[in-house]
């Protein structure tokens, strides 16, 4: 009887050992399979995230210094798969002309709503991606050490100073003409005749008799005319003082004499990297690192 019990106990013990062995093996295989699947998924995600992307940006000339720093920070902030091609910094009107002539870009940033309106109307950008990015101020600048102070629009109207503004392709020039129209220096034409300030585009008109400002094709060049002393005063953005140096603010143009200075951005209609361009655009507007850089160069997020 005792022998029978011993045999039965031995059989039971062997059965339990076998069951545990099978369970352990099964659990180990399942864990191994799960780990392998997770590793594979992680590897796949990493491969997908690291897929090389080349972005072509068209940006208003006044953004050049700030945008260079922002692009560098973006790559360093976990986007080392992104390469920025030769970013084009031009007057907003010229950027539109380039797109119209067939030049390729993924992202367009202009220095005025009017320029972006044109890009939308012409089909250069995807309207649904349009967003206001920055605001700026218009100021009067002169070369450092000029001794000028508190220059006003009326001073220009009184022929006290020679001055420079951007031509019709330059948004800063358009804003300046809007302001100068309020003191009779700039005269609107066509449908805008008789209107001034915010109610005009700053295009298509002419300067009143006796006023012959120096005109140039970019806000950067306008600033250089003041720095070199070619003119007493130039009308540029606050950010240009940070960007170029060599000039100092000698007067602030009242904000109510011109349209609000806004920089809109949008993904182009022909972008082959729309998703990557949208991610960069979003980072420009939401990242603390980006915000710090914009502020350092005189730009305020809209």
């Amino acid at each position: 009887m005792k022998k029978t019990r011993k045999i039965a106990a031995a059989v039971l013990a062997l059965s339990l050992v076998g069951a545990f062995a099978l369970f352990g093996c099964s659990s180990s295989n399942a864990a191994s399979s799960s780990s392998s699947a997770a590793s594979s998924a992680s590897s796949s995600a990493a491969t997908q995230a690291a897929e090389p992307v080349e972005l072509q940006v068209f940006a208003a000339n006044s953004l050049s210094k700030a945008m260079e720093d922002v692009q560098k920070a973006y790559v360093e902030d976990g986007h080392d798969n992104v390469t920025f091609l030769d970013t084009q910094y031009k007057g907003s009107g010229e950027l539109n002309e380039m797109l119209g002539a067939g030049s390729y870009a993924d992202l367009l940033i202009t220095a005025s709503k009017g320029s972006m309106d044109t890009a939308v109307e012409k089909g250069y950008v995807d309207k649904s991606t349009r967003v206001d990015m920055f605001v700026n101020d218009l100021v009067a600048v002169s070369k450092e050490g000029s001794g000028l102070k508190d220059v006003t629009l009326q001073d220009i109207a009184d022929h006290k100073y020679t001055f420079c503004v951007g031509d019709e392709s330059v948004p800063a020039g358009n804003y300046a003409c809007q302001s100068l129209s309020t003191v009779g220096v700039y005269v609107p034409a066509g449908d805008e005749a008789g209107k001034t300030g915010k109610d005009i585009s700053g295009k298509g008109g002419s300067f009143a008799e006796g006023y012959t400002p120096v005109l140039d094709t970019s806000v950067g060049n306008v600033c250089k005319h003041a720095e070199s002393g070619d003119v007493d005063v130039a009308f540029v953005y606050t950010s240009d003082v940070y960007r170029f140096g060599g000039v100092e603010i000698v007067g602030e143009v009242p904000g109510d004499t011109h349209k609000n200075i806004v920089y809109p951005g949008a993904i182009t209609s022909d972008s082959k990297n729309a998703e990557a361009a949208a991610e960069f655009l979003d980072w420009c507007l939401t990242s603390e690192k980006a915000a710090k850089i914009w502020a350092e160069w005189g730009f305020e997020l809209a």
Side-chain angles (χ1 to χ4, degrees), residues 12 20 29 38 61 69 100 182 199 205-206 212 232 237 255 281 299:
L12 178 59
F20 279 119
N29 288 339
N61 193 48
D69 287 351
T182 64
D199 295 327
S206 61
T212 55
D232 298 322
Y237 299 129
L281 182 59
F299 291 97

Side-chain angles (χ1 to χ4, degrees), residues 4-251:
T4 302
R5 288 176 180 175
K6 287 181 179 180
I7 293 173
V11 172
L12 178 59
L14 288 173
S15 297
L16 290 172
V17 170
F20 279 119
L22 289 173
F23 177 76
C25 182
S26 175
S27 297
S28 177
N29 288 339
S32 176
S33 176
S34 176
S35 176
S36 177
S39 176
S40 177
S42 176
S43 176
S44 176
T47 299
Q48 184 176 4
E51 184 178 349
V53 176
E54 294 183 330
L55 291 179
Q56 177 67 67
V57 177
F58 277 15
N61 193 48
S62 51
L63 285 167
S64 61
K65 297 295 185 180
M67 182 60 74
E68 289 173 5
D69 287 351
V70 164
Q71 290 177 347
K72 180 180 179 181
Y74 184 68
V75 173
E76 294 174 347
D77 195 33
H79 304 91
D80 54 3
N81 63 307
V82 176
T83 299
F84 290 96
L85 298 178
D86 184 21
T87 299
Q88 296 297 301
Y89 300 107
K90 307 284 185 181
S92 299
E94 187 175 353
L95 292 176
N96 275 336
E97 291 176 1
M98 290 171 64
L99 290 173
S103 295
Y104 177 84
D106 294 296
L107 174 64
L108 173 68
I109 305 175
T110 66
S112 74
K113 288 188 173 184
S115 297
M116 187 58 75
D117 288 343
T118 298
V120 170
E121 293 168 4
K122 298 288 186 179
Y124 302 153
V125 298
D126 179 352
K127 181 180 179 180
S128 67
T129 66
R130 177 176 178 169
V131 60
D132 288 343
M133 298 182 67
F134 318 107
V135 293
N136 216 325
D137 296 308
L138 189 67
V139 294
V141 300
S142 187
K143 66 179 181 179
E144 291 183 338
S146 67
L148 298 183
K149 186 178 180 181
D150 299 328
V151 173
T152 66
L153 293 173
Q154 190 58 49
D155 287 336
I156 301 299
D158 292 339
H159 299 280
K160 289 184 178 181
Y161 308 110
T162 57
F163 65 103
C164 178
V165 298
D167 66 17
E168 289 194 0
S169 70
V170 183
N174 303 150
Y175 294 124
C177 287
Q178 291 165 17
S179 295
L180 290 168
S181 72
T182 64
V183 290
V185 174
Y186 179 82
V187 182
D191 295 338
E192 297 180 341
K195 299 178 181 179
T196 64
K198 293 183 177 182
D199 295 327
I200 66 171
S201 63
K203 298 180 181 181
S206 61
F207 287 90
E209 186 176 354
Y211 298 99
T212 55
V214 174
L215 301 177
D216 215 314
T217 57
S218 75
V219 69
N221 289 340
V222 170
C223 204
K224 289 177 182 178
H225 282 291
E227 181 183 3
S228 67
D230 289 344
V231 295
D232 298 322
V233 173
F235 290 94
V236 298
Y237 299 129
T238 300
S239 57
D240 293 316
V241 180
Y242 294 85
R243 186 161 66 109
F244 296 110
V247 295
E248 58 188 7
I249 297 175
V250 296

